[in-house]
Amino acid sequence: TLRYYSVVVIIILSTLEGSSLFFFFFQAEDGIRDAQESRGLGDVYKRQGVDLIFEGHVHSQERSWPVYNGTVMNGTDTPGRPYHNPRAPVHVVSGNPSNAEGASVRHEPLQDWVAWRSLAYGYSHLDVVNATALHVDVLSTNLGGAVVDEFWMTKDQACGFGDCGHPSHQQGARSQVRGEFPRPLAVAVSQRWRLEQSVAVPQDQVAALWEMFVSFGGEEWTRRDGWAQEGDPCGVDHPWYGVSCVPQTDASIPPPTHNLTGISAIQLPNNNLRGDLTALLAKNSSLSVLMPSLQLLDLSDNHLTGEIRPDSPIWSGASLHSLYLDSPSNASRIRGHFPLEMGYSLPSLKHLSLQRQLFMGELPASLGSLDCRATTTHTESACLFWIQDNVMTGTVPETMCGREWNEVYLAGNNMSCDDWPCLHVAYSNYGPCTTKCTPCPT
């Protein structure tokens, strides 16, 4: 029932030191809807002084700045500490611990009030450290339990905004931050995971990662924990942020047909990567050494430009399962063409998201050869294709009729509705072609 109905639970927390200064909402909701438009709850949150709202239903992870009605309202008394005495509610979406349907498509560009977001699997901890401080983190199961996002919220007054009622609620307390974070237990679990399942990283892969760091302005990344030229990306003590050697497994990934050795996942969404990726993704570039073992690549919501040509090694990863390269806006866009043999050269591909880019040409007929079953023994569809708001032409190839698709989103392109087949798909948006498709051949 939580999939279809909004359920709100109000929790007032107390600590051993006295009444907590924090007020929470936990709800099953369609992600962060109350930042700009709500079901009547946005004003309630603001008026009642709700500090933190946990939301789900949408299969992703996301954190906002303090926001009301689409306006960021960070704490202002201490520069660099937006969550100290915030002046509006903070939203956290924790909706993707695992899901047979895969991640949720995000149609909208990156908004100013979004602090961080990711489509990868993970879960959150909420620690109320004391009456004046709390800590929230997000662990990525794709990266072996590594902490991929975290923040502190601190308050030295009970009422930072809204109508807090009795004047006594305005009496403050000194904000105390105590505790060891990331949580020692979470760190230990991640370390054990890496010890048991990680493998040695070939030096040519280390060099390729470092070239990406330099090419995309690594010194200015939002997070670059552990990244060092002489380091071990998957080391137990100082792993590189956003990198994993732990094999990726879920219901939609069949067991690898060969032993994977090296980097299995690169997950750096919304991390202030900037630069032209043409040379890094060119034929015979250093990226080619990553492709034999790489299963997940997520560089969405960064400021990347350039061109991905049909002969790029990114289209030849036998193990690549998920490729996320969404643009945060129309200001930073990647040009590209799909290779004709794409469906054969990416045999493990299940998730492809290239929204708001400048991919052109026609969808290759070889997409009809993809294996979209959720597992090798289960027939539920697992393929999700999100290529909205590009400049694609042509129509959907009839070969795609031979597969069951989970999601196919192609709106916002220059495609023709002539002879558009009605694919076997659970969720779709073809723009004006949605109502003009013709039945697939039987």
Side-chain angles (χ1 to χ4, degrees):
T1 57
L2 295 186
R3 180 184 174 93
Y4 301 104
Y5 298 97
S6 176
V7 178
V8 178
V9 180
I10 304 174
I11 300 180
I12 303 176
L13 296 176
S14 296
T15 71
L16 296 176
E17 300 180 26
S19 297
S20 172
L21 301 186
F22 298 101
F23 193 29
F24 304 85
F25 265 54
F26 292 77
Q27 65 174 357
E29 175 62 282
D30 289 333
I32 305 177
R33 296 185 55 149
D34 296 288
Q36 290 181 298
E37 55 180 292
S38 71
R39 299 175 181 175
L41 291 175
D43 290 336
V44 174
Y45 296 149
K46 184 70 161 56
R47 185 173 63 252
Q48 297 297 329
V50 178
D51 297 291
L52 186 60
I53 303 153
F54 278 88
E55 290 150 316
H57 190 175
V58 168
H59 305 149
S60 65
Q61 312 292 334
E62 191 166 2
R63 164 174 57 92
S64 79
W65 302 114
V67 59
Y68 172 68
N69 197 29
T71 301
V72 175
M73 305 180 71
N74 291 347
T76 57
D77 56 342
T78 306
R81 295 175 63 189
Y83 299 108
H84 179 63
N85 292 328
R87 298 182 296 130
V90 174
H91 299 252
V92 173
V93 176
S94 186
N96 211 18
S98 182
N99 174 38
E101 295 180 340
S104 292
V105 61
R106 285 193 296 254
H107 306 289
E108 73 283 352
L110 190 68
Q111 304 293 325
D112 291 340
W113 43 263
V114 175
W116 177 84
R117 67 183 186 180
S118 172
L119 289 172
Y121 291 129
Y123 59 93
S124 303
H125 293 121
L126 165 65
D127 287 281
V128 181
V129 180
N130 52 48
T132 64
L134 63 82
H135 181 268
V136 177
D137 64 26
V138 178
L139 274 65
S140 169
T141 55
N142 292 105
L143 298 182
V147 174
V148 292
D149 188 54
E150 60 182 315
F151 71 98
W152 282 95
M153 181 181 288
T154 56
K155 297 179 67 176
D156 49 29
Q157 59 185 31
C159 186
F161 54 87
D163 179 9
C164 295
H166 196 276
S168 63
H169 290 180
Q170 297 289 347
Q171 296 176 0
R174 184 179 178 185
S175 178
Q176 300 288 333
V177 175
R178 293 198 303 272
E180 185 178 350
F181 297 91
R183 305 160 110 249
L185 180 59
V187 172
V189 169
S190 185
Q191 286 179 337
R192 185 170 67 248
W193 204 340
R194 290 196 299 275
L195 275 172
E196 293 176 354
Q197 300 193 47
S198 281
V199 296
V201 183
Q203 283 303 305
D204 55 355
Q205 289 197 347
V206 177
L209 282 178
W210 191 253
E211 182 179 347
M212 183 180 74
F213 181 84
V214 174
S215 299
F216 295 157
E219 294 296 335
E220 301 299 323
W221 289 2
T222 304
R223 290 194 62 174
R224 52 185 179 89
D225 317 1
W227 283 74
Q229 190 168 9
E230 303 301 325
D232 180 357
C234 296
V236 175
D237 296 322
H238 302 288
W240 294 10
Y241 173 76
V243 177
S244 178
C245 296
V246 177
Q248 306 293 295
T249 57
D250 68 35
S252 66
I253 307 179
T257 56
H258 58 286
N259 294 327
L260 299 179
T261 301
I263 304 299
S264 62
I266 301 173
Q267 182 182 328
L268 295 168
N270 194 16
N271 200 48
N272 198 36
L273 279 65
R274 295 176 180 270
D276 188 315
L277 49 63
T278 305
L280 193 66
L281 299 186
K283 183 179 180 180
N284 299 324
S285 67
S286 61
L287 180 74
S288 59
V289 302
L290 297 171
M291 297 314 297
S293 61
L294 193 64
Q295 294 178 278
L296 181 149
L297 178 61
D298 184 359
L299 302 181
S300 285
D301 293 333
N302 287 293
H303 302 280
L304 302 176
T305 58
E307 182 178 6
I308 302 178
R309 300 188 178 97
D311 60 359
S312 170
I314 205 171
W315 306 123
S316 59
S319 302
L320 190 64
H321 166 273
S322 301
L323 174 59
Y324 304 127
L325 276 174
D326 295 343
S327 172
S329 68
N330 291 330
S332 301
R333 305 179 77 177
I334 300 168
R335 305 183 308 279
H337 288 82
F338 295 123
L340 295 177
E341 68 280 5
M342 177 179 173
Y344 308 118
S345 60
L346 294 174
S348 301
L349 187 66
K350 295 290 194 298
H351 301 167
L352 177 66
S353 191
L354 300 167
Q355 298 182 96
R356 294 174 297 280
Q357 302 291 7
L358 291 172
F359 275 75
M360 57 194 75
E362 300 185 6
L363 291 175
S366 62
L367 290 178
S369 70
L370 291 174
D371 182 358
C372 288
R373 293 173 294 177
T375 68
T376 54
T377 59
H378 195 280
T379 57
E380 182 180 350
S381 173
C383 284
L384 301 95
F385 277 69
W386 307 320
I387 315 176
Q388 295 195 136
D389 298 319
N390 280 260
V391 288
M392 301 292 296
T393 55
T395 188
V396 171
E398 193 174 281
T399 54
M400 292 178 66
C401 285
R403 292 290 180 266
E404 297 281 343
W405 304 86
N406 192 333
E407 298 182 12
V408 177
Y409 288 84
L410 296 170
N413 283 282
N414 299 327
M415 302 178 73
S416 169
C417 298
D418 296 339
D419 302 320
W420 190 293
C422 298
L423 299 179
H424 307 294
V425 59
Y427 305 98
S428 63
N429 185 352
Y430 309 142
C433 300
T434 301
T435 59
K436 299 179 180 179
C437 65
T438 56
C440 281
T442 57

